[in-house]
Amino acid sequence: MEVVRSESGVRSEKIAAPVAPVIARAKRLQVWFIRVCSSILVWTCLVQLLTVGKLWHPSFINITAPSVKHPPPPLLPLRNYTSNGYLKVSCNGGLNQMRSAICDMVAVARLLNLTLVVPELDKTSFWADNSTFEDIFDVKHFIESLRDEIRIVRRLPKRFSSKYGYKVFEMPPVSWSSEEYYLQQILPLFSKQKVLHFNKTDARLANNRVSIDLQKVRCRVTFQALKFTPEIESLGYKLVHVLHERGPFVALHMRYEMDMLAFSGCTHGCTKEEAEELKRLRYAYPWWREKDIVSEERRSKGLCPLTPEETALILQALGFDKDTQIYIAAGEIYGSERRLAVLRAAYPRIVKKEMLLDSGELQQFQNHSSQMAALDFMVSLASDTFIPTYDGNMAKVVEGHRRYLGFKKTILLDRKRLVEFLDLHQNGTLTWNEFAFAVRSAHEKRMGQPTRRRVIADKPKEEDYFYANPQECFCEGPSCDDLLGPGNSSSVP
């Protein structure tokens, strides 16, 4: 420090020139240090909040459409193989029957080293929906997400079109077939035919006795590759968001629709005129082979969907109170609001997608039953509880998907026993308390808990459906014993 005197003689102290920059740098360092610490603290809090958010809102039920667009992930490496030919498939049935069939056909193409043509969807069934694959599924994602397994093309090369005189060989593969069938009977056909067209694809691959690698391919397709279009996903997310804002909800897949009643011959609770209408419809469709059906006999075997009136009693017996929010995941209920009156009286908070969305939002999906079913599929996956009143294709596929998502609560109704309980209660044999106890006791182990898929030797149609319980998708080897239990036998003599 240097002592100086001013012109007036006043003594003052002057900081030496080299010291001033040091103090300035120290102050700047202090400010920088504070800023760094603040940034670290803010980012740490943000990461913690995001982590907690993921715990409460897992990605599979993300209730809002993504607001930030991330760059697409890098493409998977192409699998290098010599293609044995082209496989063309025409799926038959409703959305979820076709969805399962697509998974099977990808697995078959992978097994035989084929090039798969983007599947054609059914346009001639009861619903007469003219939706294409691209109208329902994200075709680009489908092709790119499986490129390390098989080659998928949008259409056959021109040289294989009828315009150029080429006749594609068509056939339906045998139902519930093993790998050996495809390797020994289908693969040799490609030595003569460069293209094979499977004109039916429902249940054409066995549930069990399939290699783990091929089962894993089915898992990849159903849970990763088959992604709905952005338009369907956006509206589906909105539906789920609206429902969650109103509180927890049950997705009730009520298969009490005209086509199911006509197909199954179930007319319990219908008027005489309605029963005749359903019978006429059954005879009008030649591929519905069973024509003369005794409704009450079918019902007593548990082969009929529950009626809306029966469903109301079952929900009450299971303990769902009057304030329960119920989303009906279905098309038009046969008999419309008249048949829903009892159920709505028991559960006033019943909603459907038409009640939650503006008509303009649904307009593009109207008259496209498969696209409407895709919305119901998304809501059913995200629901707090899923209850199907009939074990059709959607019920089974949603059940399996919810198992994959962490064994979310899915009440699998035992209709055969329920019909017995219902009749005993309605004729006065069972009091309400006895009826409710019987219903709850019958379903303690039917809530979608981990269990092994049932295998029935030589009866593939009667064993558990792969897509209802795709155990290979969420466990493997010894870990399956930990999850499913070693003592839970999967075989039925």
Side-chain angles (χ1 to χ4, degrees):
M1 182 181 293
E2 180 183 359
V3 179
V4 298
R5 293 183 181 273
S6 64
E7 291 180 357
S8 60
V10 178
R11 186 176 180 273
S12 64
E13 296 176 348
K14 182 178 180 182
I15 299 173
V19 178
V22 172
I23 295 176
R25 282 198 299 272
K27 287 183 178 180
R28 285 197 298 271
L29 184 62
Q30 185 179 15
V31 171
W32 176 84
F33 181 75
I34 292 172
R35 286 177 178 175
V36 169
C37 291
S38 299
S39 298
I40 292 173
L41 180 62
V42 169
W43 278 107
T44 301
C45 293
L46 182 60
V47 169
Q48 292 296 326
L49 286 171
L50 288 173
T51 302
V52 172
K54 286 182 180 179
L55 290 175
W56 283 101
H57 297 292
S59 59
F60 60 81
I61 56 169
N62 187 7
I63 59 176
T64 56
S67 57
V68 179
K69 290 188 176 181
H70 299 286
L75 290 176
L76 294 167
L78 279 169
R79 176 167 166 257
N80 185 21
Y81 69 98
T82 301
S83 175
N84 289 316
Y86 290 88
L87 178 61
K88 181 180 178 183
V89 298
S90 294
C91 303
N92 54 298
L95 173 65
N96 290 285
Q97 181 172 308
M98 293 190 291
R99 182 189 183 98
S100 301
I102 292 166
C103 299
D104 287 353
M105 293 301 104
V106 170
V108 169
R110 175 64 175 82
L111 175 68
L112 304 183
N113 286 332
L114 303 174
T115 299
L116 179 70
V117 182
V118 169
E120 296 176 349
L121 303 188
D122 194 341
K123 298 178 176 60
T124 61
S125 63
F126 171 84
W127 304 276
D129 185 349
N130 62 1
S131 298
T132 63
F133 186 100
E134 292 88 341
D135 293 326
I136 299 174
F137 300 108
D138 185 333
V139 67
K140 182 180 178 183
H141 174 79
F142 177 69
I143 294 172
E144 291 181 351
S145 65
L146 294 170
R147 56 187 263 134
D148 62 328
E149 295 284 1
I150 61 167
R151 294 188 201 118
I152 304 175
V153 296
R154 291 175 182 260
R155 58 191 63 84
L156 280 172
K158 289 183 179 180
R159 67 181 182 276
F160 296 122
S161 70
S162 57
K163 181 180 178 181
Y164 291 88
Y166 190 88
K167 186 174 177 61
V168 175
F169 182 76
E170 292 190 12
M171 64 171 290
V174 175
S175 299
W176 311 112
S177 292
S178 64
E179 293 174 75
E180 288 71 23
Y181 165 79
Y182 285 102
L183 288 168
Q184 296 171 11
Q185 299 191 43
I186 299 299
L187 183 57
L189 296 176
F190 284 95
S191 61
K192 295 181 180 179
Q193 311 289 338
K194 293 300 178 185
V195 182
L196 229 63
H197 179 195
F198 287 167
N199 50 23
K200 285 187 179 180
T201 56
D202 58 319
R204 305 291 154 163
L205 184 60
N207 292 308
N208 303 292
R209 298 169 296 279
V210 174
S211 68
I212 187 66
D213 289 340
L214 213 58
Q215 298 288 51
K216 292 286 187 182
V217 171
R218 293 164 110 177
C219 297
R220 276 193 65 183
V221 185
T222 190
F223 298 129
Q224 298 175 30
L226 283 179
K227 181 181 178 183
F228 293 127
T229 64
E231 294 77 15
I232 291 175
E233 284 207 339
S234 177
L235 199 57
Y237 285 134
K238 181 174 182 178
L239 265 174
V240 173
H241 178 71
V242 170
L243 285 160
H244 275 313
E245 280 191 328
R246 298 157 60 105
F249 70 97
V250 173
L252 181 66
H253 182 47
M254 185 174 289
R255 199 65 171 90
Y256 200 78
E257 298 155 311
M258 190 176 189
D259 67 299
M260 175 50 66
L261 298 178
F263 170 75
S264 63
C266 297
T267 58
H268 184 77
C270 295
T271 65
K272 185 178 180 180
E273 292 74 20
E274 287 172 335
E276 285 299 318
E277 180 182 39
L278 294 171
K279 185 177 180 179
R280 287 195 297 271
L281 179 62
R282 183 164 69 253
Y283 275 85
Y285 285 86
W287 52 86
W288 291 351
R289 295 179 182 177
E290 196 172 1
K291 303 299 182 185
D292 296 320
I293 299 174
V294 180
S295 175
E296 290 306 313
E297 180 182 320
R298 181 68 62 93
R299 176 175 175 269
S300 67
K301 294 179 180 178
L303 301 176
C304 289
L306 295 178
T307 69
E309 297 85 359
E310 291 171 336
T311 302
L313 290 172
I314 298 304
L315 291 176
Q316 290 171 325
L318 287 170
F320 292 98
D321 61 37
K322 193 169 186 176
D323 293 329
T324 303
Q325 181 182 199
I326 297 177
Y327 175 86
I328 295 184
E332 181 66 26
I333 301 301
Y334 189 60
S336 196
E337 286 299 315
R338 176 181 63 81
R339 289 307 302 273
L340 282 176
V342 172
L343 182 60
R344 194 177 291 282
Y347 295 96
R349 296 186 67 202
I350 284 180
V351 294
K352 296 186 284 187
K353 50 186 168 292
E354 292 82 1
M355 299 167 59
L356 300 173
L357 300 172
D358 296 334
S359 58
E361 293 177 295
L362 278 175
Q363 188 173 3
Q364 62 177 315
F365 303 107
Q366 296 289 351
N367 302 318
H368 297 287
S369 59
S370 291
Q371 295 180 49
M372 296 287 265
L375 295 173
D376 285 340
F377 183 89
M378 290 186 66
V379 174
S380 296
L381 288 187
S383 64
D384 297 276
T385 305
F386 175 64
I387 307 177
T389 63
Y390 187 77
D391 57 351
N393 288 293
M394 176 167 170
K396 291 175 180 175
V397 173
V398 170
E399 175 195 346
H401 209 130
R402 287 173 68 86
R403 288 180 183 275
Y404 176 74
L405 297 176
F407 302 98
K408 300 181 70 181
K409 189 174 182 180
T410 302
I411 303 180
L412 306 170
L413 300 178
D414 186 340
R415 293 186 309 281
K416 185 176 181 179
R417 297 184 70 185
L418 287 178
V419 166
E420 180 184 349
F421 298 154
L422 284 161
D423 290 346
L424 289 173
H425 172 60
Q426 290 173 341
N427 68 22
T429 304
L430 285 181
T431 66
W432 172 256
N433 288 339
E434 291 170 333
F435 170 72
F437 178 78
V439 170
R440 288 195 296 271
S441 298
H443 293 85
E444 286 179 350
K445 296 183 179 180
R446 298 177 65 88
M447 299 285 181
Q449 302 100 321
T451 183
R452 288 190 181 276
R453 194 169 59 245
R454 184 179 55 162
V455 178
I456 305 176
D458 302 323
K459 293 184 179 179
K461 292 183 180 180
E462 297 179 25
E463 63 187 8
D464 288 344
Y465 190 42
F466 173 83
Y467 295 101
N469 187 12
Q471 61 194 41
E472 294 88 346
C473 301
F474 42 78
C475 70
E476 53 184 280
S479 68
C480 283
D481 286 341
D482 296 335
L483 181 65
L484 307 177
N488 188 357
S489 175
S490 62
S491 298
V492 176

